[in-house]
């Protein structure tokens, strides 16, 4: 029987016996070894951290809204004018913008846990001072500013925690429920403030309730919130110094040492090793720590790629702020609502924000998977995808063309509905839709900010806070003069065309040019369509 043969592309078939020796056969390259896991925090531990984050994130919206029903009481008690009491609102907003500028860079550099501890100490002490303050209006101003300083950095730091623990493809799963629960405070804050003030007959117990809240959350953070910053603990495998460890973990270590001591183990040697390890960690922190730049978040605004993302996050937020500011005059002048009915008119938008926050988390992760499928990319759920080679801008901005169209039409329709005195149910329904859309914009593009600044996610989130506060202040400042001159219909038409039209241009540039501009900012070489390599000047974040 003749030997089996193989077809050779370079000549006639050869016998099996003519094959090269085994030592000359080149084996196929081995598949690359899997990278280290993105995080060593277990799923149950991440759920616990999410619950603690929700408690901390209640601080800013709860403190801002629980205060609103107290304004008449405070004006009477401190024997001053309503304009003077409104100054406390302005001061709160100013420090709401300043606080993330100060604390977000610190959290990126030194760690999340110390910032949570310091800010909640400030918040609780300021709330205590407000509860004890009986007659001083200047003290009311100063303590309200300190209260805002302590409460307002939490959101930016929380975005950093999400980036620490979740791979890009799953960040919506953590951010959505956390933001949804935290936004519930926007709905219940005024109700709680009014109920406590009505039941107690004064304002003091509202501030005492915030003291109790701040103390409880501070205790939970001390006991159960570990350090997560990746430049401090890496993926969770690097041990933090004592200030980055929970009291619960320190208690467990202490009990283990006690057991070793009781069992005759080498407790002294173990303590020595731990001390040496701790000293090395301290020296590493001292070497890596540098004074954070409070203007780092402001600098982010001026990059081409981030400016567009900030517009997409901040512009709809400013629009929703204008809608909320227009609710009292619209429903009082057009629909003759009383004060209670005006307060209830806020609930439609508030509950819409909560629902949209939860749903948008799933929407973001689904968009990520669809984008990966379109480019034949396998999502790495363990180590996380390298976003330097993944179009994260396209993944986050995917599908927003249709949302922008609905957003613009609904905003214009809201203006003309109140202009022509449509049934009150019409603007309420439109408020519900607008609140959901604005929430989707804000949260999606804030996460994109975190994605494109992996080394300083909290600082990036702080830049979003500055932008939306500035845009909101401008929009509210021109609201009444323009509405009086143009009419509400044309004012909201102008606002819709400006925000919606600008959004269309920004979204198109983010999808088509965002990744290239990000690469240029980071100094990453690209291969053009002609096959030539471009090497931009190396820029820092």
């Amino acid at each position: 029987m003749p030997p089996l043969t193989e077809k050779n592309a370079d000549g006639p078939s050869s016998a099996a016996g003519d094959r090269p020796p085994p030592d000359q056969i080149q084996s196929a390259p081995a598949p690359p070894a899997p990278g280290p896991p993105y995080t060593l925090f277990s799923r149950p531990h991440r759920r616990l951290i999410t619950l603690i984050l929700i408690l901390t994130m209640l601080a800013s919206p709860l403190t801002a809204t629980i205060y609103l029903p107290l304004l008449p009481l405070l004006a009477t008690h401190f024997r001053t004018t309503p304009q003077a009491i409104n100054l406390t609102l302005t001061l709160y907003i100013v420090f709401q913008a300043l606080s993330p500028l100060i604390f977000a860079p610190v959290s990126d550099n030194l760690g999340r846990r110390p910032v949570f501890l310091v800010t909640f100490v400030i918040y609780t002490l300021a709330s205590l001072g407000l509860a004890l303050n009986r007659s001083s209006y200047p003290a009311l101003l100063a303590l309200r500013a300190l209260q805002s300083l302590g409460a307002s950095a939490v959101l930016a730091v929380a975005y950093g925690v999400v980036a620490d623990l979740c791979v890009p493809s799953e960040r919506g799963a953590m951010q959505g429920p956390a933001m949804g629960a935290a936004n519930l405070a926007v709905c219940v804050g005024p109700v709680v403030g009014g109920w406590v003030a009505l039941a107690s007959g004064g304002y003091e117990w509202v501030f005492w309730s915030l003291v109790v809240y701040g103390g409880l959350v501070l205790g939970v953070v001390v006991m159960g919130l570990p350090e997560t910053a990746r430049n401090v603990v890496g993926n969770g495998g690097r041990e933090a110094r004592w200030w980055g460890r929970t009291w619960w973990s320190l208690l467990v270590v202490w009990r283990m040492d006690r057991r070793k001591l009781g069992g005759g183990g080498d407790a002294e040697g173990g303590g020595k090793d731990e001390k040496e390890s701790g000293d090395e960690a301290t020296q590493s922190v001292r070497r890596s720590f540098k004074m954070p730049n409070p203007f780092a978040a402001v600098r982010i605004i001026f990059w081409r790629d981030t400016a567009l993302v900030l517009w997409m996050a901040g512009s709809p937020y400013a629009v929703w702020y204008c809608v909320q500011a227009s609710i009292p005059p619209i429903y009082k002048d057009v629909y003759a609502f009383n004060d209670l009915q005006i307060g209830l008119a806020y609930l439609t938008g508030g509950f819409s924000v909560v629902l949209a926050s939860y749903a948008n988390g799933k929407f973001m992760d689904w968009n990520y998977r669809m984008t990966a499928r379109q480019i034949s990319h396998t999502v790495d759920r363990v180590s996380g995808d390298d976003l330097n080679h993944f179009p994260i801008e396209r993944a986050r901005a995917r599908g927003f063309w249709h949302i922008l169209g609905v957003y613009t039409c609904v905003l214009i329709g809201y203006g003309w509905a109140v202009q022509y005195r449509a049934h009150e149910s019409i603007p309420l329904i439109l408020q519900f839709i607008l609140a959901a859309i604005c929430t989707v914009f804000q949260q999606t593009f804030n996460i994109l900010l975190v994605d494109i600044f992996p080394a300083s996610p909290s600082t990036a989130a702080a830049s979003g806070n500055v932008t939306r506060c500035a845009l909101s202040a401008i929009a509210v400042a021109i609201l009444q003069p323009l509405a009086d001159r143009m009419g509400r219909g044309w004012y909201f038409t102008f606002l819709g065309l400006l925000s919606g039209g600008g959004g269309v241009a920004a979204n198109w540039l983010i999808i088509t040019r965002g990744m290239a501009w990000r690469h240029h900012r980071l100094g990453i070489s690209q291969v053009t369509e002609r096959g030539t390599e471009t090497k931009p000047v190396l820029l820092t974040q």
Side-chain angles (χ1 to χ4, degrees):
M1 180 177 179
L4 297 176
T5 60
E6 292 179 339
K7 291 186 177 179
N8 190 331
D10 298 326
S13 60
S14 62
D18 294 335
R19 293 176 182 172
D23 58 344
Q24 297 182 15
I25 298 177
Q26 295 182 353
S27 60
Y38 187 83
T39 180
L40 294 179
F41 289 92
S42 64
R43 190 172 294 273
H45 200 177
R46 279 180 281 168
R47 290 197 185 104
L48 175 62
I49 293 174
T50 302
L51 290 176
I52 298 176
L53 274 187
I54 289 171
L55 290 177
T56 63
M57 291 165 67
L58 291 172
S60 183
L62 179 65
T63 307
T65 57
I66 202 173
Y67 184 79
L68 298 177
L70 307 181
L71 299 181
L73 287 173
L74 293 171
T76 302
H77 181 86
F78 288 97
R79 298 178 181 178
T80 188
T81 63
Q83 289 78 11
I85 295 299
N86 285 341
L87 184 59
T88 64
L89 298 177
T90 304
L91 200 62
Y92 189 94
I93 295 173
V94 170
F95 277 83
Q96 198 172 33
L98 292 177
S99 180
L101 291 180
I102 299 170
F103 289 109
V106 176
S107 77
D108 284 331
N109 191 281
L110 185 61
R112 319 290 181 207
R113 180 176 165 84
V115 171
F116 277 120
L117 293 174
V118 169
T119 54
F120 267 94
V121 167
I122 295 172
Y123 174 81
T124 305
L125 292 177
S127 299
L128 179 62
L130 287 166
L132 296 175
N133 180 34
R134 302 293 183 184
S135 57
S136 175
Y137 171 73
L140 176 67
L141 285 173
L143 290 169
R144 187 64 176 163
L146 280 177
Q147 195 181 40
S148 177
L149 184 71
S152 302
V154 172
L155 183 61
V157 181
Y159 271 106
V161 175
V162 172
D164 295 335
L165 299 180
C166 298
V167 296
S169 61
E170 297 179 353
R171 285 175 182 167
M174 184 176 185
Q175 185 240 24
M179 291 298 298
N183 283 323
L184 189 62
V186 178
C187 303
V188 303
V191 178
V192 172
W195 178 76
V196 172
L198 181 64
S200 62
Y203 69 90
E204 296 90 347
W205 279 104
V206 173
F207 293 128
W208 278 116
S209 66
L210 294 179
V211 172
V212 173
Y213 160 75
L216 288 175
V217 173
L218 181 60
V220 171
V221 171
V222 167
M223 291 298 296
L225 184 64
E227 181 56 67
T228 64
R230 299 185 70 82
N231 68 328
V232 177
V233 297
N235 63 354
R238 195 186 311 156
E239 186 176 357
R241 190 58 176 152
W242 63 267
W243 62 75
R245 300 170 66 183
T246 65
W247 283 16
W248 179 259
S249 66
L250 292 174
L251 179 61
V252 170
V253 171
W254 177 79
R255 291 184 63 183
M256 291 176 63
D257 289 343
R258 293 278 295 180
R259 289 177 182 175
K260 288 180 181 179
L261 187 62
D266 188 10
E268 183 178 355
K272 182 179 179 181
D273 292 341
E274 183 178 354
K275 182 178 183 300
E276 290 176 355
S277 175
D279 290 341
E280 290 175 1
T282 303
Q283 293 172 5
S284 175
V285 169
R286 287 173 180 170
R287 286 194 301 267
S288 63
F289 179 76
K290 57 183 179 180
M291 192 64 183
N293 180 6
F295 296 103
V298 177
R299 185 176 61 176
I300 289 175
I301 298 173
F302 298 99
W303 295 110
R304 286 181 296 181
D305 55 331
T306 51
L308 298 171
V309 176
L310 288 167
W311 172 263
M312 294 295 289
S315 169
Y317 180 91
V319 165
W320 177 239
Y321 206 83
C322 281
V323 171
Q324 288 184 302
S326 71
I327 285 176
I330 285 176
Y331 287 95
K332 184 176 182 180
D333 300 340
V334 177
Y335 298 106
F337 276 22
N338 58 34
D339 291 340
L340 175 61
Q341 291 172 322
I342 290 175
L344 294 174
Y346 282 95
L347 293 181
T348 57
F351 285 117
S352 176
V353 168
V354 173
L355 295 174
S357 298
Y358 181 80
N360 188 54
K362 298 182 178 298
F363 176 66
M364 281 194 295
D365 290 348
W366 181 81
N367 266 346
Y368 192 103
R369 293 192 300 270
M370 292 300 102
T371 303
R373 183 179 299 176
Q374 288 175 353
I375 63 174
S376 301
H377 172 80
T378 301
V379 176
D380 188 347
R381 300 178 184 273
V382 177
S383 301
D385 297 316
D386 182 3
L387 296 186
N388 288 332
H389 306 287
F390 183 83
I392 188 62
E393 293 86 356
R394 188 168 131 198
R396 300 301 187 205
R398 184 178 182 274
F400 272 84
W401 303 111
H402 308 92
I403 300 175
L404 279 164
V406 174
Y407 163 72
T408 304
C409 293
V410 170
L411 184 56
I412 294 173
Y414 176 79
W416 291 107
V418 297
Q419 178 79 19
Y420 285 103
R421 300 174 179 267
H423 190 270
E424 57 263 29
S425 62
I426 302 299
L428 288 173
I429 292 172
L430 295 177
Q431 281 173 214
F432 184 91
I433 300 172
L434 276 174
I437 294 177
C438 292
T439 299
V440 169
F441 274 106
Q442 181 197 349
Q443 294 183 7
T444 300
F445 289 95
N446 273 334
I447 281 290
L448 179 54
L449 276 176
V450 170
D451 292 330
I452 61 180
F453 284 89
S456 52
S458 290
T459 303
S463 71
N465 183 79
V466 172
T467 304
R468 64 175 179 265
C469 286
L471 290 175
S472 299
I474 295 171
V476 171
I478 66 174
L479 168 62
Q480 200 57 47
L482 283 183
D484 292 341
R485 179 176 293 272
M486 303 171 62
R488 293 189 178 99
W490 284 113
Y491 171 75
F492 282 104
T493 299
F494 165 75
L495 207 60
L497 294 177
L498 176 64
S499 181
V504 168
N507 198 64
W508 180 77
L509 287 172
I510 288 171
I511 292 174
T512 58
R513 301 293 300 161
M515 188 174 182
W517 286 344
R518 170 163 57 96
H519 284 175
H520 187 276
R521 170 169 57 83
L522 298 176
I524 299 175
S525 299
Q526 301 176 75
V527 177
T528 64
E529 293 179 358
R530 295 180 180 180
T532 59
E533 187 179 34
T534 62
K535 295 183 179 180
V537 179
L538 180 63
L539 302 173
T540 61
Q541 293 183 7

